[in-house]
Amino acid sequence: MSGSTFGQLFQVSNFGESHGPAIGCVVDGCPPGLELSEADLQPDLDRRKPGRSRHVTQRRESDRVEILSGIYEGRTTGTPIALLIRNEDARSRDYSELAQTFRPGHADYTYWRKYGVRDPRGGGRSSARLTAPMVAAGAIAKKWLGRSYGTLVRGHLQQLGPIKVPFESWDEVDCNAFFAGSRACLPELEEYMDALRRDGDSCGAILRVVASGVPAGLGDPLYDRLDARIAYAMMGINAVKGVEIGAGFEAAAQLGSEHGDELTPEGFASNHAGGVLGGISSGQPIEVRIALKPTSSIRLPRRSVDLQHRPVTVSTEGRHDPCVGIRATPIAEAMLALVLIDQALLHRAQNADVAHALPPLPPGVA
Amino acid sequence: MSGSTFGQLFQVSNFGESHGPAIGCVVDGCPPGLELSEADLQPDLDRRKPGRSRHVTQRRESDRVEILSGIYEGRTTGTPIALLIRNEDARSRDYSELAQTFRPGHADYTYWRKYGVRDPRGGGRSSARLTAPMVAAGAIAKKWLGRSYGTLVRGHLQQLGPIKVPFESWDEVDCNAFFAGSRACLPELEEYMDALRRDGDSCGAILRVVASGVPAGLGDPLYDRLDARIAYAMMGINAVKGVEIGAGFEAAAQLGSEHGDELTPEGFASNHAGGVLGGISSGQPIEVRIALKPTSSIRLPRRSVDLQHRPVTVSTEGRHDPCVGIRATPIAEAMLALVLIDQALLHRAQNADVAHALPPLPPGVA
Amino acid sequence: MSGSTFGQLFQVSNFGESHGPAIGCVVDGCPPGLELSEADLQPDLDRRKPGRSRHVTQRRESDRVEILSGIYEGRTTGTPIALLIRNEDARSRDYSELAQTFRPGHADYTYWRKYGVRDPRGGGRSSARLTAPMVAAGAIAKKWLGRSYGTLVRGHLQQLGPIKVPFESWDEVDCNAFFAGSRACLPELEEYMDALRRDGDSCGAILRVVASGVPAGLGDPLYDRLDARIAYAMMGINAVKGVEIGAGFEAAAQLGSEHGDELTPEGFASNHAGGVLGGISSGQPIEVRIALKPTSSIRLPRRSVDLQHRPVTVSTEGRHDPCVGIRATPIAEAMLALVLIDQALLHRAQNADVAHALPPLPPGVA
Amino acid sequence: MSGSTFGQLFQVSNFGESHGPAIGCVVDGCPPGLELSEADLQPDLDRRKPGRSRHVTQRRESDRVEILSGIYEGRTTGTPIALLIRNEDARSRDYSELAQTFRPGHADYTYWRKYGVRDPRGGGRSSARLTAPMVAAGAIAKKWLGRSYGTLVRGHLQQLGPIKVPFESWDEVDCNAFFAGSRACLPELEEYMDALRRDGDSCGAILRVVASGVPAGLGDPLYDRLDARIAYAMMGINAVKGVEIGAGFEAAAQLGSEHGDELTPEGFASNHAGGVLGGISSGQPIEVRIALKPTSSIRLPRRSVDLQHRPVTVSTEGRHDPCVGIRATPIAEAMLALVLIDQALLHRAQNADVAHALPPLPPGVA
């Protein structure tokens, strides 16, 4: 399978460049009969789109999505759903000089080595802009999962640069452009970002994404485990350098008697597993954490080389997110939703006939 | 694609259960003309196999692999290579009672929910034993990568339970059953493990895996990124709960001016990226860290439920690794090698005609 | 993999409905550096498009293709190439009544059973219109194959209804709207089609497609054989009911001493194999024949049932091809080209290192 | 996906060579809970195995299959089912000289061009022996389809060389080694084969395969159509040169008013479609016809070249089927069953929620 397609049964084929005519995707394999219109996709696109605050790129894109196929009389027909988003604010002039050099930490160099050519306009294919179609496709997945199982996929910011962000409630997350779960920390975040922007530097972030209402049984024992699929999906997002499920790296120092989540008739007594046991969902919430690296396009001058490998100094002007992590929450939610719908379809393909005398254990402690 | 197959062009289809007649895999897509015999696969199998020290399971398996196909006159023919390992020391009596309950932290419960049935003998398909065929397949990948590019894939233990293990040299790693890169810490590790075993408890671990000599250009920009494939491969190993590439979670608190690896005519000045930029290898060493959770099968009594969801206490006797992380180094190396060969084949499929006036930058600082 | 994606490395994801806003596809995996613009795609689209003669549907579509991505400065970049064709002449009113009944021989009934819903406007997804994106994608494949190996993929009409059409030259094929290889038979074909149209009936056709300049070695021994991929591609075209490679069904009555193509230093002495031996290309021209059924949408009244399975009589007005075979030649060429580029990439992925002391045998007798 | 794996959800990875230690396959994705043992697989293996009459190869193989995994207490567990068949009667001496030349019509030449190496012992991977694992895997598919839908997949010989074989009943088919549906023609077939063997020549054949009890709705509209998958599966069998669904090539000369199967409340009035409309099953029997070429390994001397492309004369001794079509019936049945189970699983993955007020139309006239 070629690299720009995600998923096995609910399959998303992404296309586009930052400054080409359009970006979008083809979603194949969606179950038929789902009520769907552009209005279902726009809210998540709006949550991701640039220009929501001064702390993100000031590129002006409405990110209006057009559904080109797969819908009849307001419902999915089971045939491919093509989604199109026109690029509106492409300024190629900002980037022309970059074609001769490689930004440290950027895909510039590796694209050039791989393909012998790269589209330097706005980062071309490596732009975070290409996550918009993921978000649109993810919104379809979220809707179907919600209707089918009551699944809810939500994320929030856990750390911005060095600042840890406490989580108080999902309501708070929706009330600020940082996807921060606490109102109190907002002034500190804003101050940090303002300083960063003044300095012409960038920072990384850590996000947490949680899916509740996930049915037990999704995933496979080996290789194509649910957690492996999630790790793949998350690390497939630009700038992600680390993924944890449940206790994650903390699990290394835990004892077995501490880590293994006890089962009771009322459900699991803890969720160190993050909702996945042996590669298969347990019915507990799926708990994922991801780390995003700082943006590589910064104003501060840095050493690099040019196409002839001669030393140069690179300083990147133009419009860039000083922290891509700020806008990444809807992206991570979307990717998790895409994994879950795919695994839900795969699971029922093989196991639709499995019957149980008992309903699943309740999720228990989150 | 069904769940037990790994890879797209270099494809490994794994089969078997802990106490069934045999385990193994079919490796399809191997380039022809590679010298190969069982002797190439056995050393890594021996590094992984049980019984190498008192700190791992005492199950007695020779893990002798038989090549059933795909070789003619000592060379690969390009057709599928089937690998067979007979199970020799299967003691079903140890596990019969477990069929009625679910070990906390174990796949017992999720298999039952998914399939309505599970093979309880020795953990069935969820046993770490199923990593042996991965290791055998990985040895083929290692050999081809080494011959083709000089690639070297190596790993070592970075943390055992709470104990951090310094890395001094690769030579040290080969000299002890812990895959520890330092001789000095061995007594502490042994003491810790002895206490753990006495207590009937288990612990987790952190490993580092490094691939040097990886050509630039492997991977895809989006979704099917090299780092995404690596994360998938690593999280596809039993017990892994976290994956980092390069700086990993540390990247969150780094500034862009610190994280982005500068380029010089002599190569990269640092390797926070871990050898992957924009989803594509840069020619620097691939740096991966993984966290493994503690084994779920422990002697200490724990709360659980039975098949009727009634409360029970579970204490697991039998032969188990108190720390699966100890034997996981060759497994993680194998999975990384499997990703790299697959991506190398994918890369040349698309880009075999790409020519560059200049050779790649040297890797620079590791 | 979901059903609307063709190919493994050169992957085409098709979308659209006959009377939706647009049709198109995403082509992923194209090698970088290929000169490409809309002008390369339009000629084949024009060969396929409706309205070229009175013998095909009179729907008016310019079939102008827009390239949305994957091209920079006139060359492919190696990233997905999205192709968009707007539907211009959609008349939904022609089809509204059809939604209540099923045309005999049409996908109406099976779509309804599969999805519980169908888009009845112009046949929705089952319309022959959806072959336009195949043709556009195929034009990319043709160009790359031609540049890389001198491959030439061409087809012509061999039979229209009961009329056998002799083949005199490829030049003739290009000079008429039937893709007939003989000028002399044109009056008979036109007369036959005029009568058919008057009667409100339709007919089938047989096409031959030939690819010359195909390198030896493409394909796999088992399952994913080159001929299997070709059969899959051809039978994936609307209305195709039969596929032959080389001697095809005639091979049944041939003796081994007659069928097996002898090899000489000057090349093969015959081509009963149609260019494929043991699932792998021999370097001889690939010879394919396909049979297309008559169009199911005809004016003549026929028995059917309605959504409640009550008997009805169906007579289909609207604009339909009385013989879809007439326009199918560029489609079949495109699908064959898509198979060949995919197999060429797959082949070099695995076998790029294979060296031979001798060049391949010349193709010999075509 | 590499070439030796068949299927998307019910996935069969085939391995082995004619004279290697063993042949077999890994079946991944089988639904759990199916009663299964070797006894379910052996009957079809016995129908295919060599030595059933003097008209097929006299190689002596018991074709005993061993199930290595995926079964617990007599039922499938949902994990991979590995099947192993040891080669018992491998006589390498018969084939040693062949390594220097290429049999006309054989894979000898193309393997050599593709891989640079080939296993000449008994045809290596290109041997018809490799269809045994297909037959074993197909037996699992048949059993599941029969239990789930009452599907019955059966085939018979329609033509042997130039002799057309009438079909009288399925009972007759089971009573002779030709899979002929008529007792009366057996003497003619035997006489023909005896003469062929005396002459050292070979012949082709045509088979018909029918699947009844196939639920409506299997398949996809475009590319991955049910008929495309069937064509792929059939052309993936050694020696197959042509595939027809329903009316096949006859459809070309049919009028639309004749070909389109009318629908009545009692079912379809005819089955020219062969059970597939618009790429999706209609609930009518699936009707497939395939043509097999004559065996290429014959005693009659033929012109060829050696590894240096010098002219030679080749005459093939050893044990070969003079007509591979005779033993191909269970193989074609198996491949059709493999397609159907795969499509059934894919269908319910996407469309499990589709509800209809009415049951499907009865199949009507076969």
Side-chain angles (χ1 to χ4, degrees):
Chain A
M1 194 156 25
S2 280
S4 299
T5 296
F6 185 86
Q8 298 174 85
L9 294 182
F10 190 92
Q11 185 179 294
V12 183
S13 296
N14 182 297
F15 67 85
E17 275 86 28
S18 180
H19 288 208
I23 59 175
C25 63
V26 178
V27 178
D28 196 11
C30 186
L34 180 70
E35 280 184 75
L36 197 77
S37 73
E38 280 90 348
D40 292 303
L41 315 182
Q42 209 60 52
D44 269 348
L45 282 168
D46 289 347
R47 290 169 74 214
R48 190 214 72 96
K49 94 176 166 189
R52 286 182 81 214
S53 78
R54 70 181 182 276
H55 307 301
V56 298
T57 173
Q58 295 305 298
R59 179 169 171 171
R60 305 194 86 81
E61 293 287 350
S62 66
D63 279 358
R64 285 278 146 220
V65 66
E66 182 186 7
I67 298 180
L68 296 178
S69 64
I71 309 290
Y72 180 64
E73 295 187 340
R75 290 183 182 273
T76 58
T77 59
T79 59
I81 304 168
L83 304 177
L84 187 73
I85 300 170
R86 291 277 172 185
N87 289 323
E88 296 166 350
D89 184 16
R91 302 186 195 162
S92 294
R93 62 188 145 82
D94 287 347
Y95 303 92
S96 53
E97 151 192 28
L98 278 174
Q100 296 305 311
T101 62
F102 310 112
R103 281 163 285 185
H106 196 275
D108 289 339
Y109 174 73
T110 53
Y111 273 52
W112 177 64
R113 289 309 308 183
K114 183 176 190 72
Y115 301 117
V117 59
R118 70 191 157 98
D119 180 344
R121 302 167 301 168
R125 181 106 181 117
S126 71
S127 166
R129 179 146 186 72
L130 270 306
T131 57
M134 298 183 199
V135 168
I140 303 175
K142 280 179 176 180
K143 184 163 187 181
W144 187 83
L145 289 164
R147 293 288 168 100
S148 301
Y149 308 110
T151 308
L152 202 53
V153 184
R154 292 178 296 193
H156 64 91
L157 184 72
Q158 265 200 341
Q159 187 175 322
L160 182 83
I163 308 168
K164 303 239 193 286
V165 183
F167 175 74
E168 283 153 22
S169 79
W170 292 113
D171 288 344
E172 285 299 332
V173 175
D174 295 336
C175 294
N176 63 80
F178 288 98
F179 299 90
S182 156
R183 195 174 311 189
C185 71
L186 295 177
E188 186 184 0
L189 298 178
E190 303 216 320
E191 196 177 333
Y192 181 80
M193 289 307 297
D194 287 339
L196 202 62
R197 222 160 49 243
R198 265 195 313 272
D199 296 345
D201 213 336
S202 63
C203 75
I206 294 177
L207 306 185
R208 174 176 168 247
V209 198
V210 183
S212 60
V214 175
L218 310 193
D220 273 289
L222 236 154
Y223 297 151
D224 218 27
R225 295 156 71 95
L226 179 58
D227 34 9
R229 277 282 151 194
I230 293 170
Y232 171 73
M234 293 297 153
M235 207 70 106
I237 300 173
N238 311 40
V240 172
K241 300 302 284 182
V243 181
E244 294 183 321
I245 309 288
F249 278 85
E250 297 294 324
Q254 289 178 324
L255 293 171
S257 55
E258 175 188 7
H259 177 86
D261 305 306
E262 292 185 311
L263 297 84
T264 76
E266 293 74 41
F268 291 87
S270 55
N271 189 12
H272 297 114
V276 187
L277 287 168
I280 297 170
S281 64
S282 65
Q284 289 199 282
I286 307 286
E287 290 271 351
V288 186
R289 271 164 46 93
I290 61 175
L292 294 103
K293 69 174 185 178
T295 315
S296 49
S297 299
I298 57 176
R299 237 173 40 240
L300 285 175
R302 310 222 59 216
R303 283 185 299 163
S304 185
V305 296
D306 65 11
L307 291 180
Q308 285 72 42
H309 290 187
R310 291 171 305 208
V312 295
T313 297
V314 169
S315 164
T316 309
E317 304 291 333
R319 302 161 304 180
H320 297 284
D321 284 279
C323 175
V324 290
I326 294 179
R327 296 201 284 140
T329 292
I331 304 165
E333 291 171 5
M335 292 308 290
L336 183 52
L338 289 175
V339 170
L340 292 175
I341 191 172
D342 201 35
Q343 294 297 324
L345 299 182
L346 283 164
H347 174 60
R348 75 183 189 184
Q350 186 186 24
N351 301 292
D353 305 321
V354 172
H356 284 281
L358 290 181
L361 278 181
V365 169
Chain B
M1 195 155 27
S2 281
S4 298
T5 296
F6 185 86
Q8 299 174 84
L9 294 182
F10 191 92
Q11 185 180 292
V12 184
S13 296
N14 181 299
F15 67 85
E17 275 86 28
S18 180
H19 289 207
I23 59 176
C25 63
V26 178
V27 178
D28 195 12
C30 185
L34 180 69
E35 281 183 73
L36 197 76
S37 73
E38 280 89 349
D40 292 302
L41 315 182
Q42 208 60 52
D44 270 348
L45 282 168
D46 289 347
R47 290 169 75 215
R48 190 214 72 96
K49 92 177 168 190
R52 285 180 82 214
S53 78
R54 68 179 182 276
H55 308 300
V56 298
T57 173
Q58 295 306 298
R59 179 168 171 174
R60 305 193 86 80
E61 293 286 350
S62 65
D63 280 358
R64 286 280 145 216
V65 65
E66 181 187 7
I67 298 180
L68 297 176
S69 64
I71 308 289
Y72 179 64
E73 296 187 341
R75 290 184 182 272
T76 58
T77 59
T79 59
I81 303 168
L83 304 177
L84 186 74
I85 300 169
R86 292 277 171 184
N87 289 323
E88 297 166 350
D89 184 17
R91 303 187 195 161
S92 295
R93 61 191 146 79
D94 288 346
Y95 302 92
S96 53
E97 149 191 29
L98 278 175
Q100 296 305 311
T101 62
F102 310 112
R103 280 163 285 184
H106 196 275
D108 289 338
Y109 174 74
T110 54
Y111 273 52
W112 178 65
R113 290 309 307 183
K114 183 175 190 72
Y115 300 117
V117 58
R118 69 187 157 101
D119 179 344
R121 302 167 300 167
R125 181 102 181 121
S126 71
S127 165
R129 179 144 186 73
L130 271 305
T131 58
M134 299 184 197
V135 167
I140 304 175
K142 280 180 176 180
K143 182 162 189 183
W144 187 83
L145 290 163
R147 295 285 169 101
S148 301
Y149 308 110
T151 308
L152 203 52
V153 184
R154 293 178 295 194
H156 63 90
L157 184 72
Q158 266 201 339
Q159 188 175 321
L160 181 84
I163 309 168
K164 302 235 193 285
V165 182
F167 175 74
E168 282 152 22
S169 80
W170 291 112
D171 287 344
E172 286 298 333
V173 175
D174 295 337
C175 295
N176 63 81
F178 288 97
F179 299 90
S182 156
R183 195 174 310 188
C185 70
L186 294 177
E188 187 183 1
L189 298 179
E190 303 216 319
E191 196 177 333
Y192 181 80
M193 289 305 300
D194 286 339
L196 203 61
R197 222 162 47 243
R198 266 195 312 272
D199 296 346
D201 212 337
S202 63
C203 74
I206 294 177
L207 307 185
R208 173 176 170 250
V209 197
V210 183
S212 60
V214 176
L218 310 193
D220 273 288
L222 237 153
Y223 296 152
D224 216 27
R225 295 157 71 94
L226 178 58
D227 34 9
R229 277 282 151 192
I230 293 171
Y232 171 72
M234 294 297 153
M235 209 69 108
I237 300 173
N238 310 39
V240 172
K241 301 302 285 183
V243 181
E244 294 183 319
I245 310 287
F249 277 85
E250 297 294 324
Q254 289 179 322
L255 293 170
S257 55
E258 176 188 4
H259 177 87
D261 304 308
E262 291 185 311
L263 297 85
T264 76
E266 294 74 41
F268 291 88
S270 54
N271 189 12
H272 297 114
V276 188
L277 288 168
I280 297 169
S281 64
S282 66
Q284 288 198 280
I286 307 287
E287 289 270 351
V288 187
R289 271 165 45 95
I290 60 175
L292 293 103
K293 68 173 188 181
T295 315
S296 50
S297 299
I298 57 176
R299 237 173 40 238
L300 285 174
R302 308 222 60 215
R303 282 186 298 163
S304 185
V305 297
D306 66 10
L307 290 179
Q308 284 73 43
H309 290 188
R310 291 171 303 207
V312 295
T313 297
V314 169
S315 165
T316 309
E317 304 291 336
R319 301 161 302 178
H320 297 284
D321 284 279
C323 175
V324 288
I326 294 179
R327 293 201 288 141
T329 292
I331 305 166
E333 291 171 4
M335 293 308 290
L336 183 52
L338 290 175
V339 171
L340 292 175
I341 192 172
D342 201 35
Q343 294 296 322
L345 299 182
L346 284 164
H347 174 59
R348 74 183 189 183
Q350 186 186 24
N351 301 293
D353 306 321
V354 172
H356 285 281
L358 290 181
L361 279 180
V365 169
Chain C
M1 196 158 22
S2 280
S4 299
T5 295
F6 185 86
Q8 299 174 84
L9 294 183
F10 191 92
Q11 186 180 293
V12 183
S13 297
N14 181 298
F15 67 86
E17 277 86 27
S18 180
H19 288 207
I23 59 176
C25 63
V26 179
V27 178
D28 195 11
C30 186
L34 180 70
E35 281 184 75
L36 197 77
S37 74
E38 280 89 349
D40 292 302
L41 315 182
Q42 209 59 52
D44 269 347
L45 282 168
D46 289 347
R47 290 170 74 214
R48 189 216 71 98
K49 96 176 164 189
R52 286 181 81 214
S53 78
R54 70 181 182 276
H55 307 301
V56 298
T57 173
Q58 295 306 298
R59 180 168 172 173
R60 305 193 87 80
E61 293 287 349
S62 66
D63 280 359
R64 284 282 144 217
V65 66
E66 183 187 6
I67 299 179
L68 296 176
S69 64
I71 308 289
Y72 179 64
E73 296 188 338
R75 290 184 183 273
T76 58
T77 59
T79 59
I81 303 168
L83 304 177
L84 186 73
I85 300 169
R86 291 277 172 186
N87 289 324
E88 296 166 350
D89 184 17
R91 304 187 194 160
S92 295
R93 61 188 146 81
D94 288 346
Y95 303 92
S96 53
E97 151 191 28
L98 278 175
Q100 296 305 313
T101 62
F102 309 112
R103 280 164 285 185
H106 197 276
D108 289 338
Y109 174 74
T110 54
Y111 274 52
W112 178 65
R113 289 308 308 182
K114 183 175 191 73
Y115 300 118
V117 58
R118 70 189 157 100
D119 179 345
R121 302 168 302 167
R125 180 103 181 120
S126 70
S127 166
R129 180 146 187 72
L130 270 306
T131 58
M134 299 183 199
V135 168
I140 304 175
K142 280 180 177 179
K143 184 163 187 180
W144 187 84
L145 289 164
R147 294 288 169 100
S148 301
Y149 308 109
T151 308
L152 201 54
V153 184
R154 293 178 294 195
H156 64 91
L157 183 72
Q158 265 200 340
Q159 188 175 323
L160 181 83
I163 308 170
K164 304 238 192 286
V165 182
F167 175 73
E168 283 152 23
S169 80
W170 291 113
D171 287 344
E172 285 299 331
V173 174
D174 294 337
C175 295
N176 63 81
F178 288 98
F179 298 91
S182 156
R183 193 174 312 188
C185 71
L186 295 177
E188 186 183 0
L189 298 178
E190 303 216 320
E191 196 177 332
Y192 181 80
M193 289 305 299
D194 286 339
L196 203 62
R197 222 161 50 243
R198 266 196 312 271
D199 295 346
D201 212 336
S202 63
C203 75
I206 294 176
L207 306 185
R208 174 176 168 248
V209 199
V210 183
S212 59
V214 175
L218 310 192
D220 273 289
L222 237 155
Y223 296 152
D224 217 27
R225 295 156 71 94
L226 178 58
D227 35 8
R229 276 282 152 194
I230 292 171
Y232 171 72
M234 294 297 152
M235 208 70 107
I237 299 172
N238 311 40
V240 173
K241 300 302 285 183
V243 181
E244 294 182 321
I245 309 288
F249 278 85
E250 297 293 325
Q254 288 178 323
L255 294 171
S257 54
E258 175 188 5
H259 177 86
D261 304 306
E262 292 185 309
L263 296 86
T264 76
E266 294 74 41
F268 290 87
S270 55
N271 190 11
H272 297 114
V276 187
L277 288 168
I280 298 169
S281 65
S282 65
Q284 288 198 281
I286 307 286
E287 291 271 350
V288 186
R289 272 164 44 94
I290 61 175
L292 294 103
K293 70 173 186 178
T295 315
S296 50
S297 299
I298 57 175
R299 239 175 38 241
L300 284 176
R302 308 221 61 216
R303 284 185 297 163
S304 185
V305 297
D306 67 11
L307 290 179
Q308 285 72 42
H309 290 187
R310 291 171 304 207
V312 295
T313 297
V314 169
S315 164
T316 309
E317 305 291 335
R319 301 162 305 179
H320 297 285
D321 284 279
C323 175
V324 289
I326 293 178
R327 295 202 285 141
T329 291
I331 305 164
E333 290 171 4
M335 293 307 291
L336 182 52
L338 290 174
V339 170
L340 292 175
I341 192 172
D342 201 34
Q343 294 297 324
L345 300 181
L346 283 164
H347 174 60
R348 74 184 189 183
Q350 185 186 23
N351 301 292
D353 305 322
V354 172
H356 284 280
L358 290 182
L361 277 181
V365 170
Chain D
M1 194 156 27
S2 280
S4 300
T5 296
F6 185 87
Q8 298 174 85
L9 294 182
F10 190 92
Q11 185 180 293
V12 183
S13 296
N14 180 299
F15 67 85
E17 277 85 29
S18 180
H19 289 207
I23 59 176
C25 63
V26 178
V27 178
D28 195 12
C30 185
L34 179 70
E35 280 183 74
L36 196 77
S37 73
E38 281 89 349
D40 291 303
L41 315 182
Q42 209 60 51
D44 269 348
L45 281 168
D46 289 346
R47 290 170 75 214
R48 191 215 71 97
K49 95 175 164 190
R52 286 181 80 215
S53 76
R54 70 181 182 275
H55 307 300
V56 298
T57 173
Q58 295 306 298
R59 180 168 170 173
R60 305 194 85 79
E61 292 286 349
S62 66
D63 280 359
R64 285 281 144 217
V65 65
E66 182 188 7
I67 299 179
L68 297 177
S69 64
I71 308 290
Y72 180 64
E73 296 187 340
R75 291 184 182 272
T76 60
T77 59
T79 59
I81 304 168
L83 304 178
L84 186 73
I85 299 170
R86 292 277 172 185
N87 289 323
E88 297 166 349
D89 183 18
R91 303 188 196 160
S92 295
R93 60 190 147 82
D94 288 346
Y95 303 92
S96 53
E97 148 192 29
L98 279 175
Q100 296 305 311
T101 63
F102 310 113
R103 279 163 286 185
H106 196 275
D108 289 337
Y109 175 73
T110 54
Y111 273 52
W112 178 64
R113 289 309 307 182
K114 183 174 190 74
Y115 301 117
V117 59
R118 70 188 156 99
D119 180 344
R121 301 167 301 168
R125 180 101 181 122
S126 71
S127 165
R129 178 143 187 75
L130 271 305
T131 57
M134 300 184 197
V135 168
I140 304 175
K142 280 180 176 179
K143 183 162 188 183
W144 187 84
L145 289 164
R147 294 287 168 100
S148 301
Y149 308 110
T151 308
L152 202 53
V153 184
R154 293 178 295 193
H156 63 91
L157 183 72
Q158 265 200 339
Q159 188 175 322
L160 181 84
I163 308 169
K164 304 236 193 287
V165 183
F167 176 73
E168 281 153 24
S169 79
W170 292 112
D171 287 344
E172 286 298 333
V173 175
D174 294 339
C175 295
N176 63 82
F178 288 97
F179 299 91
S182 155
R183 193 174 312 187
C185 70
L186 295 178
E188 187 184 1
L189 298 178
E190 304 217 318
E191 196 176 335
Y192 181 79
M193 290 306 298
D194 286 339
L196 203 61
R197 222 161 49 244
R198 266 194 312 270
D199 296 346
D201 212 336
S202 64
C203 75
I206 294 177
L207 307 185
R208 174 176 169 248
V209 197
V210 184
S212 60
V214 175
L218 309 193
D220 273 289
L222 237 153
Y223 297 151
D224 217 25
R225 297 156 71 95
L226 179 58
D227 33 9
R229 276 283 152 193
I230 293 171
Y232 171 73
M234 294 297 152
M235 208 70 107
I237 300 172
N238 309 41
V240 173
K241 301 302 285 183
V243 181
E244 295 183 319
I245 309 288
F249 278 85
E250 297 293 324
Q254 288 178 323
L255 294 171
S257 55
E258 177 188 5
H259 177 86
D261 304 307
E262 292 185 310
L263 296 84
T264 75
E266 293 75 40
F268 291 88
S270 54
N271 189 12
H272 297 114
V276 187
L277 288 169
I280 298 169
S281 64
S282 65
Q284 288 199 281
I286 307 287
E287 289 270 350
V288 186
R289 271 165 45 94
I290 61 174
L292 294 104
K293 70 172 186 180
T295 315
S296 51
S297 299
I298 57 176
R299 238 172 40 238
L300 284 176
R302 309 222 60 215
R303 282 185 299 162
S304 186
V305 296
D306 66 12
L307 290 179
Q308 283 73 42
H309 290 188
R310 291 172 304 207
V312 295
T313 296
V314 170
S315 166
T316 310
E317 304 292 334
R319 300 162 303 179
H320 297 284
D321 283 279
C323 175
V324 289
I326 293 179
R327 295 201 287 142
T329 291
I331 305 165
E333 291 171 4
M335 293 307 292
L336 183 52
L338 290 175
V339 171
L340 292 175
I341 192 172
D342 200 36
Q343 295 296 324
L345 300 181
L346 283 164
H347 174 60
R348 75 183 189 184
Q350 184 185 27
N351 300 293
D353 306 321
V354 172
H356 284 280
L358 290 182
L361 277 180
V365 169

